[in-house]
Every structure is written in C-alpha cells, then in structure tokens.
Amino acid sequence: RKYPGIIFSMEREPGTQILEVEGLKAVDADGTVLFNNVNFTIEKGQKTVFLSHNPKAMTALFEIINGNRTADAGTYKWGVTITTAYLPLDNTAFFQSELNLVDWLSQYGTGNEVMMKSFLGRMLFKEEDVLKHVNVLSGGEKMRCMIARMQLKNANCLILDTPTNHLDLESIQAFNNNLINFKGNILFASHDHEFINTVADRIIELTPKGTIDKLMTYDDYIYDEAIKEKKAELYS
C-alpha cells in the first residue's frame, strides 16, 4: 500500500478577515432555486463543510466565490490576506491539451523540471508516467494532478468540491490526515461521512429558504432533533 505525500503548507499567515457572504442566491438553469438568503462570515482557522439536499448547491457556491459564476443576488468579499486553492468538482477543462504532466504542472507554479517531477512523484507518478499526455489520464490520475497543482499554490484557504471522488483509500487517508493538521481555512463538500466528521468543525447547510449554521461535529449535526425540524421547514 502506497500513500501519496499530500502536504498543504501556507506561504502567508491569514489575517482575521477570511470571507464574508451576504444575501447570496443561486438559481439553476431550469429555474430551481439552489440556495437563497445565504449569510455567513468565516472565522480564522475554521474548517467548514457545506451541505444541501441538492449537490448542485455546493458547486454553485464554490464557483461563485471563486469568481467563475455570477450570483443571482448577494455579495461576497475575501479578506486581503487570503490566498485560495480550489479543487473543482469538474476538472475536464484543465486536461484538454497534449501537454505532458511536467509541462502541465509547470503552468501553475514557479520552479524547474526537477521540482515539478518531485511534486508528481509525491502524488505517486513514476518516472515514466510524467511524460504521458494529460488528456489520456484516468479520473484518479487527473485528481492527483489537481491536488499537486493545489499544493504548488501554498494557499491559506482550501476550497474542495467533493475531493475524494476518483481517489483510492490510501489517497483519501493521506488527504484526510493532512486536512486535519492544516492550520489555514478549509471550505469543502463531501459525500464521505468519516472525512466530514474528522475534518469539519462547522456545518453550513444551504437551502432554498436560507441556511442552518452550526459549530459542531457532523455526527452531532445529523442526530440533532431540533436541526431535523428546522431542515424540514427550510426544504418544504
């Protein structure tokens, strides 16, 4: 069993202002309201998981706060000291080229070929793998490339949309362990119960009628009777 070397480090210590979101709304192409009246302020060091009955809601939020999608209402503001690294749910657009892995990764950071090969090696790519074209990679290989890309950024806020997709158990474990120890902020969505329960210290659920926002573990959240009643009201 081989474990990849997933190590996120921060180049810059974040200030006290991380992210402020006010009155955010997103509507799907078919007119479905994904979320509405979303207000929250992320505090320094928090690791926040976003939930919803509609998985498109989390993707819409992450795309909005990364500047890739326009909100249907509301605003967001990042703190001036915040640097982000984003792992999107759909990474197809990143791999529509015939670049090899070394040249592909070199687009996203400064450093020589040896350094890029080192990052790829940590993600379990062998010497002969790094000259493959990125457009022929498997789903798992693409995800490992995207994680290598994130590590190059040395960001103090990680945004992860369902990061365990296409990863094997060893990679999920390595990812999980590093996120637990990461000193910056994490905003993420996941289907993995253990991953959420061990990483998140704050839960924000996005609904068409507002949010539920709790500082607690995932296990406490899903078994809380008052929260169950609130969810029934917001999704009705």
Side-chain angles (χ1 to χ4, degrees):
R1 297 175 68 180
K2 291 188 176 181
Y3 291 84
I6 300 176
I7 303 166
F8 294 108
S9 55
M10 302 187 297
E11 194 170 279
R12 183 179 189 180
E13 181 73 20
T16 53
Q17 289 185 308
I18 311 299
L19 174 65
E20 292 182 11
V21 168
E22 290 186 8
L24 219 58
K25 178 181 182 180
V27 180
D28 203 10
D30 65 1
T32 303
V33 176
L34 298 174
F35 55 78
N36 192 17
N37 195 29
V38 171
N39 303 279
F40 61 82
T41 299
I42 299 294
E43 304 293 337
K44 186 175 180 178
Q46 283 181 341
K47 298 174 181 179
T48 306
V49 66
F50 291 87
L51 311 174
S52 179
H53 284 187
N54 189 339
K56 288 183 178 180
M58 288 85 79
T59 296
L61 176 70
F62 294 150
E63 287 289 299
I64 289 167
I65 64 175
N66 278 283
N68 300 331
R69 174 173 175 163
T70 303
D72 290 281
T75 60
Y76 68 93
K77 184 181 180 183
W78 289 101
V80 294
T81 62
I82 305 308
T83 54
T84 62
Y86 178 35
L87 187 68
L89 179 65
D90 183 3
N91 59 36
T92 308
F94 289 90
F95 296 98
Q96 293 175 339
S97 81
E98 293 195 358
L99 291 174
N100 64 44
L101 270 65
V102 174
D103 291 341
W104 180 87
L105 190 59
S106 297
Q107 301 174 102
Y108 303 110
T110 55
N112 59 24
E113 184 176 318
V114 173
M115 179 183 165
M116 297 303 154
K117 284 183 176 179
S118 169
F119 271 89
L120 291 165
R122 275 170 32 189
M123 294 309 298
L124 304 182
F125 288 105
K126 301 189 181 92
E127 186 72 29
E128 61 271 23
D129 292 333
V130 300
L131 297 179
K132 287 166 71 171
H133 292 174
V134 295
N135 58 358
V136 300
L137 297 177
S138 68
E141 288 172 328
K142 287 177 180 176
M143 185 61 89
R144 284 188 279 132
C145 280
M146 293 295 287
I147 295 169
R149 171 182 174 270
M150 286 187 76
Q151 291 177 86
L152 280 175
K153 287 180 166 285
N154 294 319
N156 53 32
C157 182
L158 308 178
I159 304 166
L160 311 166
D161 193 349
T162 325
T164 56
N165 274 8
H166 304 295
L167 293 180
D168 58 25
L169 185 59
E170 290 78 12
S171 298
I172 292 171
Q173 254 184 313
F175 209 160
N176 191 202
N177 291 341
N178 191 248
L179 293 182
I180 291 168
N181 295 318
F182 183 65
K183 301 302 181 191
N185 284 87
I186 303 172
L187 313 177
F188 74 107
S190 177
H191 304 303
D192 187 317
H193 183 111
E194 186 65 17
F195 198 88
I196 299 172
N197 207 44
T198 52
V199 174
D201 54 24
R202 182 177 179 183
I203 318 283
I204 297 179
E205 183 149 0
L206 307 169
T207 85
K209 297 179 182 176
T211 58
I212 303 171
D213 188 347
K214 298 291 181 181
L215 289 167
M216 57 171 58
T217 67
Y218 186 49
D219 274 349
D220 287 343
Y221 184 84
I222 59 178
Y223 294 117
D224 189 295
E225 291 300 326
I227 290 172
K228 287 180 185 176
E229 289 178 18
K230 183 69 173 173
K231 285 171 73 165
E233 175 190 323
L234 288 172
Y235 282 110
S236 64

